[in-house]
Amino acid sequence: MAGRLAQAARTHWLRNSWSGQEFPHPGKRRPIVGDLEVSDPRNPILSVLTLGKELGEIYELKIFRQKFVFVATAELVAELCDETRFQKTLPPAIDALREFGGDGLFTAYNDEPNWQLAHDLLMPAFTKASMRSYHEIMLAVTRELFEYWDGLPTSRVDVTRDMTKLTMETLSRSAFSRDFGSFTSPTPHPFVGAMIRGLATARRKGGIRTAPGGKLAGKFLSHKMAKDQEWADELLDDLIAARADDRSQHDLLGIMLNVAHPETGERLSPINIRYQILTFLVAGHETTSGALSFTLYFLATNPDCLRRAQEEADAILGDDPDAEPTFDQVSKFRHIRRCLDESLRIWPTVPAFSRTPLSDTVLGGRYPMRTDDWALIMLGQVHRDPAVWDEPERFDPDRFLPEEIKKRPAHSYKPFGTGMRACIGRQFALHESVLVLARLVHRYDLTPDADYELDVTERLTMVPRSFFVTLRRRRATTQPVESHSHATHSG
Ligand code: MNH
């Protein structure tokens, strides 16, 4: 437990006074609760996205004692992305995740030595070339997903649910060679449930920390969370200990256990390795699953884009519905990649990230900002800033043609964050997503429910809710397989 106590939260975020500047905010503010009533505690970011529409380039919300400042335009964001003037900081909801993620990569403060150490040790495992090591795993999990789908008694599938299984399975195998049997066992592995419940509770705790009685409520939630968290921690700690003398596996855990820093010879401690593993699982699975689900939503509802994706997949993979792309082929699915990019523009699954100045400065020449102040970049708004994007609500993958990208100002598209704290898993997510999407549209036609309207919900990240598609095999070559004839459903 010593390790956990050492990771105590900081409360720097409370000081966010912006030298007394008051920005536009919705409605009339109440004593004590502030703007609490206008925001939806279950979907805080989504409610801010809606409220923020009317409030301009910078606005604020006050929830109990905590002031939140949101930035909505590409112009101000370009400045906040200047690494010589600004850096990442952790807003309360992310700081609360330190109970799980400690000083792991995502939840570390910039000045914590383990950030640089882990970054230096792990960066080589996340280059584009390193994706070769995960390519086979990604193919295998995709195959299992299709076997699972083809064996179901129905051809109507819950997209978000199944994409989440797929990304969780890919990550657990890539990170620590653990098979959770997501597509082969009828119930999810208890680790997955424990992890998700623990995180949801941690986030709720983060939300109430500044409320009157928040400390007490937090203790209650901690108690509730303790069992799940301890169980998940133990499982990982056992796994790490069991691998301590094993140099044979070259997964992420293997790298963390076996590789010392080339200059200092330093290694990660066992507890920090656990933080990193949890971080990869959490940062990597829901974000990518959301990106896949949104892209499938846009493909299913934009028949012309789907047709072009299928033509591209056919051209590269040929006629065999079981054909799998080679590593080098994955970067050839240009249109499919643009569909993914465009989905992450409209629905960035990590909806916001935060920035704080390195020294006192003036944002945009008009908003004084001190080192105590921090701003949340609202990607959902920035990515639809009418100053940069024509018809921002329209799904148009051709916005990501190279010549179109060149026309846009720098930093107008930031789904993976920015600077040295940008997403380390970007290539992993892109490789996996393009590979899965290519195989999926190559093999199936997708029909959404006729009356479905996109319903976005907030888990830790943004995902479509209750989004089902009906799958139809495009062709059956080897043996004609009807989805029903295959069913081995045991009820
Ligand atoms: Mn990811 C940081 C978005 C997939 C691991 N990720 C970030 C940030 C964004 C982000 C935005 C920066 C947050 C901040 O500034 O506070 N990540 C995504 C998206 C996807 C994604 C939209 C998928 C799509 N991320 C992944 C995958 C992994 C991963 C896959 C791991 C395998 N991400 C991380 C880690 C960090 C991060 C680790 C923190 C990096 C650092 O600060 O050093």
Side-chain angles (χ1 to χ4, degrees), residues 72-325:
T73 62
E75 184 223 343
L76 291 179
V77 168
E79 224 178 288
L80 290 168
C81 287
D82 179 347
E83 292 269 286
T84 67
R85 292 175 57 204
F86 296 91
Q87 63 176 338
K88 165 166 169 161
T89 187
L90 307 184
I94 304 294
D95 185 82
L97 296 180
R98 282 169 66 85
E99 223 165 310
F100 258 85
D103 56 358
L105 278 173
F106 192 83
T107 42
Y109 285 92
N110 284 325
D111 55 9
E112 286 179 296
N114 274 339
W115 179 78
Q116 189 74 54
L117 177 60
H119 178 80
D120 291 353
L121 290 179
L122 288 162
M123 264 312 273
F126 281 104
T127 59
K128 198 167 177 197
S130 301
M131 293 308 122
R132 248 176 231 286
S133 342
Y134 316 115
H135 182 75
E136 289 304 322
I137 295 173
M138 293 170 180
L139 287 178
V141 177
T142 310
R143 227 160 33 229
E144 284 173 37
L145 167 72
F146 295 164
E147 277 161 24
Y148 163 76
W149 275 351
D150 292 345
L152 286 176
T154 168
S155 52
R156 184 171 167 271
V157 300
D158 181 331
V159 174
T160 306
R161 180 200 65 189
D162 290 345
M163 291 303 122
T164 305
K165 288 183 178 185
L166 171 120
T167 52
M168 180 71 195
E169 201 60 37
T170 310
L171 259 169
S172 55
R173 292 187 202 179
S174 310
F176 50 99
S177 304
R178 178 80 177 220
D179 187 337
F180 280 129
S182 302
F183 296 115
T184 42
S185 73
T187 48
H189 191 282
F191 175 80
V192 181
M195 190 182 83
I196 306 276
R197 279 194 305 277
L199 284 166
T201 321
R203 195 181 76 151
R204 241 180 301 152
K205 267 174 73 176
I208 57 168
R209 274 197 286 187
T210 59
K215 279 222 178 91
L216 198 69
K219 280 208 182 110
F220 170 73
L221 286 173
S222 291
H223 183 71
K224 221 178 112 185
M225 181 167 92
K227 243 177 74 189
D228 274 334
Q229 183 168 352
E230 260 158 44
W231 191 82
D233 285 355
E234 256 167 52
L235 186 134
L236 287 178
D237 288 344
D238 289 351
L239 198 109
I240 294 164
R243 286 274 301 273
D245 302 312
D246 175 0
R247 312 220 149 206
S248 64
Q249 273 161 301
H250 298 281
D251 51 13
L252 292 170
L253 178 56
I255 293 171
M256 291 192 276
L257 285 167
N258 300 329
V259 181
H261 195 277
E263 281 148 39
T264 64
E266 268 180 289
R267 287 163 189 273
L268 298 175
S269 66
I271 187 166
N272 187 265
I273 293 181
R274 184 229 288 157
Y275 289 145
Q276 305 296 357
I277 298 259
L278 267 171
T279 299
F280 288 135
L281 288 178
V282 173
H285 99 278
E286 202 178 274
T287 49
T288 313
S289 130
L292 278 163
S293 304
F294 281 117
T295 309
L296 288 169
Y297 166 77
F298 285 116
L299 284 171
T301 52
N302 290 272
D304 185 52
C305 295
L306 176 60
R307 186 186 48 75
R308 282 168 67 193
Q310 289 178 323
E311 284 168 8
E312 180 173 72
D314 291 351
I316 294 169
L317 295 174
D319 267 346
D320 179 0
D322 296 325
E324 295 182 326

Side-chain angles (χ1 to χ4, degrees), residues 36 39-47 200 203-204 456-462 465:
L36 179 71
S39 82
D40 170 1
R42 294 204 165 268
N43 293 294
I45 298 273
L46 282 169
S47 60
R203 195 181 76 151
R204 241 180 301 152
V456 180
T457 187
E458 247 175 286
R459 297 198 300 212
L460 274 171
T461 59
M462 303 290 138
R465 176 166 45 194

Side-chain angles (χ1 to χ4, degrees), residues 88 105-106 115 283-284 287-288 349-350 353 415-417 421 423-425 429:
K88 165 166 169 161
L105 278 173
F106 192 83
W115 179 78
T287 49
T288 313
T349 53
V350 173
F353 60 94
F416 292 98
R421 299 298 302 270
C423 181
I424 200 173

